[in-house]
Amino acid sequence: MRKIIFTLMLVVASGLWMTSTAICMAPIPDAMYQPFATVTGILRHMPMPCEEGEDCPPCLTFALVTEEQTYYLTTDNKEMEKQLDSLMNYLMSVNCICPQTISGTPFTRGGNDYIKVLKIESENAQLSSLCDEWNIAKISNAGGPIETILTVKSFLGSDTIIESQNYVKLIEDSKYKGAMREGESGVIYYIPAGSAHEYLLYNFNAQVGDRLTNLWYGGDPERCPNGYNAIVLSISDETPRVFTIEVEYIISDSDGDYIIPWLIYWTEGVGLSDGPAGQFCPGPDCACSCGQLVLCAYKNGEQIYVSEMGEQYGCVYNYDPYAAPSDTIPLFSYTGDDPGSSTVDPVDPNQVVAMLKGDELTIKESSGETITYQLSNTSASSAPGLRKMPQSQTFQGEISVTLTEEGNYSLILTNPGWNYRIVGRFEYPKKHQGIDPVAGDEEKSGIKKVLRNGQIVIERNGKRYNLLGGEL
């Protein structure tokens, strides 16, 4: 059993705080076949349960208490452990008994219920005046003849405490980008990664003509340690409103500093046009020939915004003129256990797409929900272990799987909130007839190695031989 040592406080029934020095987590079973579940309850520290005949561990564990039962929480993910710890410490610091939503895989051990935690949704981790998830198209060589476009996901993660203030982490492309908090409604503050300075990020209560100071709209904190000065030029009448902001951008050269007016745009509730906290190179003197643009934005899993580029290309768009071609796997949704027994509908590639590129199977899903995929090799000659136990795992946004066993594959995607399943079938390697020649002269000589029924044989002039040279 793994044990993590640090000092914690425990809320007891009397409302008093007690101190403990150890947190334990239950081991996770090797094989888990329970369905994915989402449970809402109160997060608490509770004594680690013990089964009959076991010594009770002298430590606490995380538990989610609902009206019906208590789930003891466990995980094998270090980041999830930190998120649970951070959330629990925050709830105790503000004396908040707030409902939390845990998603994961439930299991039982003895007479107790457990959940392997995969996702935490905390009501206090939301900014009421801003979205919580964005799909952003990052463009290289912007304006040039060739552009590479990659869609990344930015989202609000777990809470964190900075200088006794509660912030929400901003995560982009799986990396910590900064932390946000909301002051009065509509006013958002931001601390970028690597900085201790808090900037004004948005003020959706501002009026035309208002002057803004200490403003952040992207860039390097070292370049603008005290933020920028700006003025609100105009506010549109549409919904959501669009704020046009003129920033006093400072450029320095050998003759000194001078100001260039630079326009930026806020969309109410969504944020900057190039992302919730802007981009690294946002000014007129940017030399990277790059740019980025929000395609779509979401709040509590619901899409509430799409830009013009998003309307044209979808919420997920990737383009690389130099990349090797990929085969898109046709995906279909159906209800029931058999695709032939229900209506089959093609899946919108802007929502879910699966691509096979060489040995890499990549699945991309744009709703932001936690998706479970099951991948199995259905070929009769495939490895028995793979046929009996398909790969099953959860992911958000995107996942890549390396294939090693050739054959015909079945891919099934599910989510607790869906009333259907998404299914795709494909062959790996695509249109494969054998193994690529090992030596450069094999193709010219008419000799090649091929895989037949799991065995490598040599083909030459229409005849087949085993690896010892015997004709088959």
Side-chain angles (χ1 to χ4, degrees):
M1 182 176 296
R2 297 179 296 118
K3 184 180 290 185
I4 308 164
I5 305 296
F6 43 79
T7 300
L8 291 170
M9 303 295 290
L10 171 64
V11 184
V12 295
S14 63
L16 300 177
W17 298 98
M18 295 180 62
T19 301
S20 176
T21 57
I23 278 290
C24 295
M25 284 191 175
I28 298 172
D30 293 333
M32 299 177 65
Y33 302 100
Q34 295 295 325
F36 187 84
T38 299
V39 182
T40 299
I42 303 301
L43 185 63
R44 295 187 183 276
H45 286 131
M46 297 186 68
M48 184 72 185
C50 54
E51 306 303 329
E52 185 176 351
E54 291 183 349
D55 292 332
C56 294
C59 54
L60 303 177
T61 190
F62 297 110
L64 193 72
V65 181
T66 71
E67 294 182 358
E68 294 81 17
Q69 60 197 110
T70 295
Y71 294 91
Y72 296 99
L73 307 183
T74 187
T75 180
D76 53 9
N77 185 300
K78 294 294 184 183
E79 291 302 317
M80 188 61 66
E81 288 180 5
K82 293 178 183 178
Q83 189 173 343
L84 279 168
D85 178 40
S86 175
L87 175 59
M88 194 70 211
N89 286 339
Y90 166 72
L91 293 175
M92 292 186 299
S93 70
V94 297
N95 199 23
C96 177
I97 303 178
C98 310
Q100 313 297 319
T101 300
I102 301 290
S103 298
T105 307
F107 64 94
T108 58
R109 182 172 178 264
N112 296 295
D113 297 302
Y114 298 83
I115 290 182
K116 177 186 176 182
V117 182
L118 300 173
K119 183 180 180 182
I120 304 171
E121 299 177 27
S122 175
E123 291 184 3
N124 53 287
Q126 300 296 317
L127 304 180
S128 62
S129 300
L130 199 63
C131 290
D132 53 29
E133 187 176 324
W134 301 259
N135 285 6
I136 303 170
K138 298 215 168 188
I139 308 167
S140 65
N141 197 28
I146 298 176
E147 295 181 349
T148 299
I149 302 174
L150 175 66
T151 299
V152 301
K153 189 175 291 294
S154 186
F155 63 93
L156 298 181
S158 60
D159 288 7
T160 185
I161 307 296
I162 303 176
E163 296 293 333
S164 301
Q165 291 270 18
N166 186 42
Y167 288 81
V168 183
K169 294 178 182 178
L170 177 65
I171 310 297
E172 184 172 295
D173 199 20
S174 302
K175 299 182 180 68
Y176 173 71
K177 191 174 179 67
M180 296 182 185
R181 73 173 180 91
E182 186 162 3
E184 61 179 290
S185 179
V187 182
I188 310 294
Y189 299 94
Y190 181 65
I191 300 178
S195 172
H197 182 76
E198 182 184 74
Y199 297 84
L200 171 67
L201 183 60
Y202 301 114
N203 182 357
F204 296 125
N205 300 318
Q207 305 295 318
V208 174
D210 284 356
R211 294 196 62 82
L212 308 173
T213 60
N214 186 36
L215 181 67
W216 173 271
Y217 75 101
D220 184 352
E222 294 184 359
R223 178 163 186 166
C224 55
N226 298 309
Y228 291 96
N229 296 323
I231 187 171
V232 181
L233 287 186
S234 65
I235 303 174
S236 70
D237 294 328
E238 62 199 71
T239 302
R241 297 182 300 166
V242 176
F243 293 69
T244 301
I245 313 292
E246 184 181 273
V247 176
E248 296 177 358
Y249 190 87
I250 301 174
I251 291 183
S252 302
D253 60 19
S254 57
D255 296 328
D257 297 340
Y258 57 97
I259 295 175
I260 293 180
W262 186 252
L263 297 183
I264 63 171
Y265 303 92
W266 298 342
T267 298
E268 188 172 24
V270 176
L272 285 155
S273 57
D274 53 4
Q279 57 181 305
F280 180 74
C281 194
D285 59 342
C286 178
C288 77
S289 187
C290 57
Q292 61 185 59
L293 187 70
V294 172
L295 295 174
C296 299
Y298 306 82
K299 182 77 169 180
N300 297 324
E302 179 183 357
Q303 181 181 312
I304 65 168
Y305 172 79
V306 57
S307 65
E308 291 184 4
M309 184 177 178
E311 289 178 346
Q312 181 177 0
Y313 295 104
C315 292
V316 178
Y317 180 64
N318 298 291
Y319 172 70
D320 185 352
Y322 302 105
S326 299
D327 290 309
T328 301
I329 298 168
L331 298 177
F332 299 90
S333 64
Y334 67 91
T335 56
D337 296 327
D338 183 359
S341 65
S342 59
T343 302
V344 179
D345 297 312
V347 176
D348 184 352
N350 290 325
Q351 301 302 315
V352 183
V353 65
M355 296 178 294
L356 181 62
K357 180 178 179 181
D359 298 333
E360 292 292 322
L361 171 67
T362 300
I363 311 166
K364 298 180 180 180
E365 202 278 338
S366 62
S367 71
E369 297 293 328
T370 299
I371 307 301
T372 299
Y373 80 87
Q374 186 179 80
L375 181 65
S376 57
N377 189 334
T378 60
S379 300
S381 61
S382 66
L386 184 58
R387 292 201 307 272
K388 293 178 182 178
M389 189 175 294
Q391 297 183 44
S392 184
Q393 189 174 334
T394 59
F395 72 98
Q396 282 184 290
E398 178 178 333
I399 192 170
S400 293
V401 180
T402 300
L403 303 180
T404 57
E405 177 81 12
E406 74 169 14
N408 296 314
Y409 280 80
S410 171
L411 173 66
I412 300 176
L413 305 176
T414 57
N415 177 270
W418 295 349
N419 60 356
Y420 57 87
R421 296 194 295 171
I422 293 177
V423 175
R425 294 183 172 87
F426 63 95
E427 180 185 4
Y428 165 76
K430 186 70 172 178
K431 299 179 181 178
H432 182 64
Q433 300 300 324
I435 296 178
D436 293 334
V438 175
D441 293 333
E442 286 186 4
E443 184 175 353
K444 296 179 182 179
S445 65
I447 300 173
K448 62 180 179 179
K449 294 174 183 171
V450 297
L451 191 65
R452 292 287 182 264
N453 298 322
Q455 299 294 321
I456 296 177
V457 300
I458 299 171
E459 286 190 354
R460 181 178 183 182
N461 299 327
K463 295 183 179 181
R464 294 179 182 174
Y465 304 86
N466 62 28
L467 292 179
L468 298 177
E471 184 175 351
L472 301 175

